């Protein structure tokens, strides 16, 4: 009876969306082949794991649905939703004050508009262990393929700033265990639980490896070593974690999946995607690149309007009316 009403509702939603010219948006998200395909296509978690076993996946940051659609049309295999970008787009500092509902809104928008697997930032988990369970379930059902939580004290700081503090290893390992249990319960183990450690600037490089191993032992599928400052440091962490752990759904090397953060203007120099792949990283995020680029364009446009009285100086950098209609799937 549930599935009868579920698919009746699904058909009604599809009909309404197609009547408004939005059928293509919905089709990015929903498979109509079977009940099982609907849920697997909707959540994308197994697709993300499969892609990372094949190559190092580039995950550009998407801070709204339109950016997600552009990335999908450009040919990317997945996306990243950054806490820094979400909070900045809200005009807030990146200290963990944005709510889980604000994150979920962006995840849903990006998932529906792109149809791509998503790894989403969950900061420190929005609370203690009970909230970790809620966060995993909520992120998964909103359309995320995985999330990362970090071992900072709340309120957290941007990973490329100094002055951070960490919670004890066992306290964070307990959060990871709770996330892993929720992963298994809601996705049959396919949702990716990523543990981010900010130990490099607080306790040193060896602590990054030690903490990462403890988090893998607790059930993390992926490790995110934040704030590394050289290619040599990235390579060292990858070598130390290669083949470590006995978790199922492991990376090709036998250890955890590895995530590299290629953010700009931080502690990490610009490193090419191919170098990360050679070192053994399975995905690279570009968390705030699209937001920084967009805001640079906004600033140029506003300056032109204010100083020149017209938009002519920046007109060549704008999307045309037709380009925006095409991306918004408005058929005229």
């Amino acid at each position: 009876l549930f599935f009868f009403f579920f698919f009746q509702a699904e058909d009604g939603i599809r009909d309404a969306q197609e009547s408004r010219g939005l059928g293509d948006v919905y089709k990015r998200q929903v498979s109509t082949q079977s009940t099982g395909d609907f849920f697997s296509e909707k959540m994308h978690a197994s697709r993300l794991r499969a892609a990372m076993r094949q190559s190092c996946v580039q995950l550009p940051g998407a801070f709204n649905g339109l950016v997600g659609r552009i990335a999908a049309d450009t040919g990317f295999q997945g996306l990243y939703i950054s806490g820094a970008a979400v909070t900045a787009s809200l005009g807030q500092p990146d200290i963990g004050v944005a709510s889980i509902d604000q994150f979920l809104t962006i995840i849903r928008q990006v998932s529906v508009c792109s149809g791509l697997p998503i790894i989403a930032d969950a900061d420190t988990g929005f609370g203690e262990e009970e909230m970790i369970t809620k966060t995993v379930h909520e992120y998964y059902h909103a359309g995320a393929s995985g999330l990362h939580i970090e071992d900072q004290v709340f309120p957290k700081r941007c990973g490329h700033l100094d002055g951070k503090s960490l919670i004890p290893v066992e306290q964070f390992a307990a959060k990871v265990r709770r996330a892993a249990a929720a992963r298994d319960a809601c996705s049959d183990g396919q949702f990716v639980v990523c543990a981010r450690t900010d130990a490099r600037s607080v306790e040193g490089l060896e602590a990054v490896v030690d903490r990462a191993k403890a988090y893998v032992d607790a059930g993390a599928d992926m490790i995110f070593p934040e704030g590394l400052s050289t290619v040599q440091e990235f390579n060292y962490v990858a070598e130390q974690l290669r083949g470590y752990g006995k978790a199922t759904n492991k990376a090709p090397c036998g250890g955890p999946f590895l995530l590299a953060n290629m953010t700009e203007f931080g502690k990490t120099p610009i490193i090419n995607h191919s170098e990360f792949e050679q070192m053994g990283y399975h995905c690279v995020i570009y968390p705030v690149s699209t937001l920084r680029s967009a805001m640079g364009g906004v600033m140029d446009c506003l300056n032109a309007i204010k100083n020149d009285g017209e938009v002519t100086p920046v007109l060549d950098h704008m999307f045309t009316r037709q380009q925006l209609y095409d991306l918004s799937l408005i058929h005229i």
Side-chain angles (χ1 to χ4, degrees):
L1 186 60
F2 165 79
F3 286 107
F4 171 80
F5 286 112
F6 178 84
F7 284 107
Q8 286 289 98
E10 178 194 335
D11 290 340
I13 292 170
R14 186 185 301 108
D15 291 343
Q17 287 179 318
E18 289 181 337
S19 71
R20 298 195 304 270
L22 297 179
D24 289 342
V25 178
Y26 193 72
K27 288 172 185 175
R28 290 176 184 268
Q29 178 79 350
V30 177
S31 166
T32 57
Q33 295 177 14
S34 70
T35 302
D37 287 342
F38 169 79
F39 284 103
S40 64
E41 285 295 318
K42 183 173 186 291
M43 301 312 173
H44 305 295
S46 60
R47 285 175 54 198
L48 176 62
R49 288 177 181 267
M52 292 192 298
R53 290 191 179 103
Q54 293 297 317
S55 63
C56 180
V57 181
Q58 293 175 301
L59 302 174
F63 57 92
N64 62 28
L66 192 60
V67 175
R69 183 168 302 137
I70 293 171
D73 290 347
T74 305
F76 286 95
Q77 292 181 281
L79 294 167
Y80 176 69
I81 294 178
S82 157
V86 169
T87 54
S89 66
L90 296 170
Q92 298 178 357
D94 182 21
I95 57 174
V97 295
S99 71
I100 186 174
D101 289 334
Q102 288 172 311
F103 276 82
L104 290 171
T105 296
I106 303 301
I107 292 169
R108 292 188 189 101
Q109 291 175 359
V110 173
S111 178
V112 168
C113 290
S114 71
L116 293 176
I118 297 164
I119 292 180
D121 192 346
D123 286 337
T124 56
F126 305 102
E128 297 306 318
E129 293 176 36
E130 292 77 9
M131 277 301 298
I132 296 296
T133 298
K134 174 182 172 67
T135 299
V136 170
H137 281 268
E138 294 275 17
Y139 270 42
Y140 175 71
H141 290 294
S145 304
L147 60 68
H148 67 75
I149 53 175
E150 61 200 64
D151 55 5
Q152 283 196 56
V153 170
F154 181 85
K156 48 88 37 104
R157 288 173 63 82
C158 170
H160 288 252
L161 294 177
D162 295 325
K164 297 181 290 186
S165 299
L166 307 182
I167 64 175
V169 173
E170 183 50 42
Q171 183 180 349
F172 188 72
K175 284 188 169 185
V176 173
R177 281 192 290 271
R178 183 65 71 97
R183 169 202 64 205
D184 295 343
C186 73
S187 71
D188 195 26
Q190 291 302 303
F191 187 81
V192 175
V193 172
C194 176
R196 166 178 147 177
T197 178
D198 286 73
R200 173 64 188 92
S201 64
V202 182
E203 299 174 347
L205 190 59
E206 290 300 327
V208 172
V209 174
D210 292 342
R211 280 179 172 263
K213 289 181 176 179
Y215 304 157
V216 172
D217 291 341
D221 303 296
M222 177 185 284
I223 294 297
F224 173 177
E226 177 64 305
L228 304 189
S229 59
T230 66
V231 170
Q232 290 73 25
E233 289 186 353
F234 277 101
N235 193 52
Y236 178 77
V237 172
E239 287 179 345
Q240 294 301 306
L241 295 179
R242 188 171 293 117
Y244 183 81
K246 299 180 180 180
T248 57
N249 284 321
K250 294 183 290 188
C253 63
F257 290 102
L258 296 177
L259 179 153
N261 181 6
M262 189 56 267
T263 191
E264 308 85 14
F265 312 113
K267 294 182 178 296
T268 304
I270 300 297
I271 301 172
N272 192 274
H273 165 259
S274 62
E275 291 187 74
F276 283 120
E277 185 162 39
Q278 290 169 6
M279 289 186 281
Y281 284 80
H282 304 94
C283 64
V284 181
I285 60 173
Y286 304 83
V288 197
S289 306
T290 57
L291 180 68
R292 288 194 177 105
S293 297
M295 291 306 100
V298 168
M299 184 70 77
D300 290 343
C301 180
L302 294 175
N303 283 332
I305 294 171
K306 183 71 168 63
N307 299 326
D308 300 312
E310 58 181 85
V311 298
T312 301
V314 296
L315 204 57
D316 289 342
H317 300 290
M318 288 185 180
F319 266 19
T320 66
R321 183 178 298 272
Q322 189 60 53
Q323 283 176 304
L324 193 56
Y325 282 165
D326 289 345
L327 278 171
S328 302
L329 303 179
I330 297 174
H331 305 294
I332 58 174

